[in-house]
Amino acid sequence: MTAPDAGRGIWDGEETRTFTGLPRDSFRILHVSTGNVCRSPITERLTRHALADRLGDPLWGGLIVESAGTWGHEGAPMEANAEAVLADFGADASGFIGRELLDEHVIMADLVLTATRDHRAQVISMGHSAGLRTFTLKEFTRLVKAIDPATLPPLEHGMVARARALVRAAAALRGWLLAPTAEADEVYDPYGAPLPFFRSIGDEIHQALDPVVTALTGVPARM
């Protein structure tokens, strides 16, 4: 397959995405919030931590986890309270640098998980056929819980194939399994809030990520 032009990606509806040399055997998860200094950094680093905890492999079977913000503070450090939340979970906050969400991030992402419905709408409005692979985090969690793991490719076929199948299955369920309330799919912004509120948001994110990472890896969280 020929690499796409810089302004667009190629998505064949099955197993392949390429972008300026991106390996075909990788799967990119992009977490999106507003400033990319609170919610999406917490979600990015908790995802990485959960994958490493389950797999013990720094490459996580080809999964690449990143984040950006719709009004991202480019080059900014993570908020101190966000770092404290990650420390509570034993996750690594080091080396984080904030990013503004760009077209290329959406093009390269195989799965976009946003903090809110507004973020989801903003990502989809950027185009790049993002609609079928963009969900709020809590929406994706709800859909994943309804998917029978036995219907996903076995891990022997590779985690990338399993992850892509999971996204397709979740997209197929979206119109059938609706949120109980409009607020059920939201992760609220803790920016400027005291540490206890940050910790409550961290707990929400952690609980939402657990079923997702379990479905991706086929490995439950350690007790």
Side-chain angles (χ1 to χ4, degrees), residues 49-68:
H49 180 69
L51 288 169
D53 181 63
R54 285 164 169 78
L55 302 177
D57 180 353
L59 297 178
W60 305 309
L63 303 185
I64 300 168
V65 186
E66 303 171 309
S67 65

Side-chain angles (χ1 to χ4, degrees), residues 34-54:
T34 303
N36 195 215
V37 291
C38 299
R39 288 169 290 181
S40 50
I42 291 173
T43 315
E44 173 197 314
R45 295 307 175 94
L46 285 182
T47 304
R48 293 185 183 185
H49 180 69
L51 288 169
D53 181 63
R54 285 164 169 78

